[in-house]
Amino acid sequence: MADHPTEDEFEGEAPPVLTLPLDGWHRERGARMVEFAGYLMPIQYEGIMAEHLWTRESAGLFDVSHMGQLRIDGPGVVDALESLLPADVAGLGAGRQRYSLLLADNGGILDDLMLARLPAAHPFGEVEGDVPAFYMVVNGATKWDDLAHLRERLDDAINLNLLDERALLALQGPKAVDALERLVPGVTALGFMTAAAFDWQGVGLWISRSGYTGEDGFEISVPADDAVALAQALCVEPEVKPIGLGARDSLRLEAGLPLYGHDLDEETTPVAADLGFALSKRRREDGGFPGAERVLSEYANGAATKRVGLIVEGRQPVREGATVVDADGATIGRVTSGGFAPSVGQPIAMAYVPAELAAPGTAITLQQRGKPHAATVAAMPFVPHRYIRKGVSK
């Protein structure tokens, strides 16, 4: 989820493509901008290491406006979404949010996403009658394919709207709640994976207590015309600095969170990706989602390969594209993410390995540019998550 450039993608040409509402704001603050997912995005300001550690200690503001924000509503929308996702959509209460997966017919992952059921009052327009409505956030690099996939499979009576008039900001870190509460009173009452509508100086916001760094924090949907003013107001707060997407990548890696297009793709199933939690209990019993027979068989019996975390010996990072090899040097797996972990103090990685090698403590040999690297399978997350499960009323 929350796609963003990895360190390997920082280099290279950056031709102007599309700009986001905060483009000029980023440049005024010295951000290094590169093209990603069809947009020019801020990669870093003062450096990935400093930005990473600031977010772990205080609060970082990320621009993730390239991601796709969708509103989906209409008759039969609950059953329609359950035919495409393994989530318990029917059991999702108003103001509740779930991580889920858009699955192909073979059980492969087309995208990962966040889905929230909208309450009666929300900032995404009126709904006529008592019709369920949902807010979905999909990855920026896949949003056009996702829209086509959804439109093709949803009944014409179901409304599917891309909310491209809105920006999306992520405020992450242990002090995010202190800064945001001063601007938007009441957000402290939100718990992890809950969301609600708020008003900021007459501007309608949709705020969820969620994110993709492993830290407590919020994702804020704001009208594009008001995004600069909100970002500026947040960065006036002493806890908040703008942070580039480079640090977002190192933070999510330490949090053990997969990145679509790298750790997840159409050839990967939820079980192999260690995302069995995204298969809700009722859907595991009832099935009825794409690839259910294969996915549920793997859930019961295990997949042939599994995504694992690795602690890499030495100081040299091992990155995506490196291979996992056996004692004879034959390729038996692949590294999908890797880099130096600022909070861990050494290189870490994620890789797909044969299931029999997935237990923590297992010694693994990696191969990068012809050079072997020793690694050990480690439990994830590498840095404990600090989600706030229950908000506190003020």
Side-chain angles (χ1 to χ4, degrees):
M1 191 55 196
D3 58 347
H4 39 266
T6 67
E7 191 167 336
D8 290 339
E9 294 171 313
F10 295 166
E11 303 301 333
E13 299 296 324
V17 186
L18 297 174
T19 58
L20 293 167
L22 288 164
D23 186 89
W25 188 83
H26 294 309
R27 294 176 190 276
E28 290 171 2
R29 282 149 188 79
R32 179 185 173 194
M33 308 290 285
V34 302
E35 186 274 334
F36 177 74
Y39 296 93
L40 288 169
M41 304 292 294
I43 295 301
Q44 61 177 315
Y45 295 84
E46 57 181 304
I48 292 174
M49 178 74 78
E51 294 170 32
H52 178 113
L53 295 175
W54 177 269
T55 304
R56 285 271 185 252
E57 296 168 0
S58 191
L61 182 67
F62 302 84
D63 181 6
V64 290
S65 299
H66 63 305
M67 300 182 74
Q69 300 180 68
L70 314 178
R71 172 183 153 167
I72 308 172
D73 64 80
V77 65
V78 170
D79 289 342
L81 288 175
E82 289 205 346
S83 72
L84 300 174
L85 312 173
D88 182 2
V89 180
L92 189 59
R96 295 284 180 175
Q97 181 169 274
R98 293 286 183 273
Y99 175 86
S100 192
L101 303 163
L102 190 63
L103 296 178
D105 291 339
N106 68 351
I109 301 172
L110 297 173
D111 202 2
D112 62 341
L113 55 89
M114 291 288 191
L115 182 72
R117 186 163 186 160
L118 292 166
H122 60 78
F124 305 125
E126 297 296 324
V127 176
E128 294 185 3
D130 186 20
V131 179
F134 294 88
Y135 170 75
M136 180 185 290
V137 179
V138 300
N139 284 304
T142 56
K143 66 183 175 185
W144 301 114
D145 289 340
D146 291 351
L147 278 167
H149 181 85
L150 290 165
R151 187 66 279 168
E152 181 180 351
R153 287 161 177 79
L154 295 176
D155 188 271
D156 290 344
I158 295 176
N159 301 307
L160 173 62
N161 295 308
L162 176 64
L163 304 171
D164 55 359
E165 76 286 0
R166 299 187 72 88
L168 189 63
L169 305 178
L171 185 65
Q172 301 284 293
K175 298 180 182 177
V177 64
D178 300 326
L180 188 58
E181 178 68 28
R182 280 185 223 115
L183 268 64
V184 188
V187 295
T188 304
L190 292 175
F192 182 58
M193 297 298 272
T194 66
F198 291 87
D199 180 89
W200 174 69
Q201 299 184 350
V203 176
L205 306 178
W206 177 256
I207 300 178
S208 63
R209 198 159 193 170
S210 61
Y212 221 63
T213 62
E215 293 292 336
D216 180 31
F218 303 86
E219 293 197 342
I220 308 165
S221 175
V222 54
D225 290 344
D226 300 297
V228 168
L230 179 59
Q232 184 60 31
L234 287 167
C235 287
V236 168
E237 300 300 318
E239 301 93 344
V240 182
K241 286 184 178 181
I243 304 295
L245 299 186
R248 188 176 176 85
D249 189 57
S250 56
L251 288 159
R252 72 90 194 166
L253 177 59
E254 286 186 340
L257 301 172
L259 178 63
Y260 195 82
H262 301 267
D263 310 293
L264 307 176
D265 57 32
E266 294 182 32
E267 304 304 316
T268 308
T269 65
V271 179
D274 198 24
L275 297 176
F277 69 89
L279 310 172
S280 70
K281 181 180 179 181
R282 180 175 65 79
R283 304 306 307 283
R284 294 198 306 270
E285 295 171 349
D286 297 348
F289 54 85
E293 183 175 356
R294 176 189 179 189
V295 171
L296 295 179
S297 174
E298 289 186 349
Y299 189 87
N301 304 309
T305 61
K306 186 177 179 182
R307 178 175 65 94
V308 299
L310 298 173
I311 297 289
V312 181
E313 294 184 11
R315 303 291 291 179
Q316 178 65 46
V318 176
R319 303 193 185 280
E320 180 183 6
T323 57
V324 180
V325 298
D326 64 14
D328 298 322
T331 297
I332 57 172
R334 58 192 171 95
V335 173
T336 51
S337 289
F340 187 84
S343 302
V344 179
Q346 65 184 99
I348 61 174
M350 293 182 194
Y352 281 86
V353 301
E356 60 270 23
L357 300 180
T362 303
I364 295 288
T365 300
L366 308 175
Q367 191 90 13
Q368 179 173 257
R369 299 188 184 95
K371 182 180 178 181
H373 296 264
T376 303
V377 175
M380 293 192 287
F382 298 97
V383 173
H385 294 165
R386 295 199 284 188
Y387 305 138
I388 303 299
R389 301 289 175 180
K390 293 184 178 180
V392 178
S393 298
K394 285 192 173 182

